[in-house]
Structure formats: C-alpha cells, structure tokens
Amino acid sequence: MMDRRQFAPATERNREPILDTLKDWLPGDGTVLEIASGSGEHAVFFAPAVKPLKWQTSNFDREQLDSVTDWLAHKPSDNLLPPVMLDVTQTEWSIEAADYSLKPITAIFNANMIHISPWQTCEGLMAGASRILPAGGRLFLYGPFKFNGQHTAPSNKKFEEWLKSLDPEYGIRNIEDVREEAVKNGIRHIIARPMPANNFFHLFEKI
C-alpha cells in the first residue's frame, strides 16, 4: 500500500519540550482534541505518554488527514483516535455532533496554526473552545507570537515576512490580540512558557 505519511523536521525537534509542558498542564481525564494535527507526528508521540487521556486527532486538509491516518497505522496506541475533518471557522464542529461518543473534551491542543491562516481561524478556535470545553477545561497554543507588537527574535520577523508573501492575511499574532479574543469567549490566559526556537506555549482556561 502507498505510504501517505508526511514528515515535518521541526516536529522531531520540538516534540519533547512540548510533551514536558503538556504533562505539567493537562487535566487528568477526558479527551484531548488536537486541532490541526498536521502530519500526525505529534499525535503518535504524545498520545502514549498521556494515558489515560484519549487523544483525538483532526485536520482540515485532506492530504494531512491521510498522513495522520497512516501515522496512526504505523504507530498505533489504544488511546489515539482516528482523525476527524474539522474546520475551526464553522459554527459547529464535527465533534459537537450528538453521535460523537468521546466526550467530555477536557483540553484542546493547537500548534502552529493561527499564524499560517487568516485571523478568522483564531476567532473560530476561541469560539469553538468556548462551546465545547467545560469550566476549567484547558486550551493550549504553541507557536511563535509577538508581544506588544514586537517580535521576540529577528528570525521570527523574517519568518513573518515570508508568511505574508504567501498570503497577506497570514502573520505571527500579537498575544494581546489572542488574549482579547479569548476573553470575548469566556476564556482566560493563565501563563506563557518560552520554548526552544523562539516559540511559546500558552495556557488558557475556560471560565
């Protein structure tokens, strides 16, 4: 059979620091929804390490859905769930359907999405998190961010210039704007943790 797995070199470099932080901050039970699972490499690394939590993968891009499916076949775990199609900009996500059986979703993990997509994805992410997370449920955002409109490294500035050459609506987001969008949806920012390669891990919580 054709191997449809995609490979993202940065995933292997950043997965251990991300997992260490997840272990510090994840709830003790329920299902973790990974929004925009990308290639699937993060999921197959994280899920076995966070049992008894279940790990629900998702993607919007069909080729990435196929990649996640094949990564799960290559490295299965009994708590790792097949990917669902999920568009964060929709007013009802696929996992909100009545027949979705793995509720409650007690945490949402999202890495490297809101800067490689229009701002509407951040709006949709916060609105959806507000709908599906219980009080005290946690939202984790990982990636590059600006603080008070300033980049944290020259390399991030160059990266943003490249992103905007692909699409003017892309760009590294100001964390203040992200926090404001969270507050609109009843979600508060708890803490930011610096990560390797000029990235940050942000913890939010549903009020």
Side-chain angles (χ1 to χ4, degrees):
M1 291 181 63
M2 182 186 301
D3 186 351
R4 300 172 298 178
R5 288 180 296 159
Q6 298 177 5
F7 296 84
T11 301
E12 189 168 346
R13 294 194 298 269
N14 66 31
R15 63 187 185 180
E16 290 187 7
I18 293 176
L19 179 57
D20 288 343
T21 302
L22 282 171
K23 286 180 174 179
D24 288 342
W25 293 349
L26 278 171
D29 56 12
T31 297
V32 181
L33 170 63
E34 182 184 13
I35 292 178
S37 296
S39 66
E41 293 167 277
H42 272 155
V44 297
F45 185 74
F46 297 156
V50 300
K51 293 180 182 180
L53 287 165
K54 295 186 178 351
W55 192 277
Q56 174 66 69
T57 54
S58 75
N59 266 323
F60 178 64
D61 178 84
R62 171 53 61 184
E63 289 186 359
Q64 289 189 328
L65 282 165
D66 292 340
S67 177
V68 175
T69 298
D70 285 9
W71 268 110
L72 268 59
H74 184 70
K75 291 187 175 182
S77 178
D78 58 6
N79 67 326
L80 184 53
L81 308 170
V84 295
M85 173 72 78
L86 195 152
D87 178 354
V88 295
T89 65
Q90 295 298 305
T91 54
E92 183 176 335
W93 293 352
S94 52
I95 49 82
E96 295 180 74
D99 60 354
Y100 183 78
S101 62
L102 295 168
K103 300 171 184 176
I105 291 171
T106 54
I108 295 173
F109 171 72
N110 178 237
N112 294 318
M113 180 187 76
I114 64 172
H115 60 282
I116 316 179
S117 55
W119 177 248
Q120 286 84 351
T121 61
C122 183
E123 294 174 327
L125 174 63
M126 293 302 177
S130 179
R131 293 194 306 270
I132 68 172
L133 288 175
R138 293 189 155 183
L139 167 64
F140 308 106
L141 293 187
Y142 171 86
F145 291 86
K146 289 187 282 192
F147 289 77
N148 296 313
Q150 300 299 312
H151 288 287
T152 60
S155 59
N156 282 3
K157 184 176 185 296
K158 291 181 180 179
F159 179 46
E160 182 173 49
E161 290 170 353
W162 175 76
L163 287 172
K164 288 187 174 295
S165 75
L166 300 177
D167 189 321
E169 293 192 62
Y170 294 0
I172 295 176
R173 306 304 178 187
N174 286 302
I175 188 56
E176 293 80 13
D177 295 335
V178 178
R179 288 172 181 161
E180 182 179 347
E181 194 61 37
V183 169
K184 290 180 187 176
N185 290 279
I187 297 170
R188 62 182 177 181
H189 184 260
I190 304 296
I191 193 171
R193 179 176 290 183
M195 303 292 281
N198 303 306
N199 290 309
F200 283 83
F201 207 129
H202 291 278
L203 167 60
F204 294 81
E205 189 171 87
K206 172 75 176 293
I207 299 171

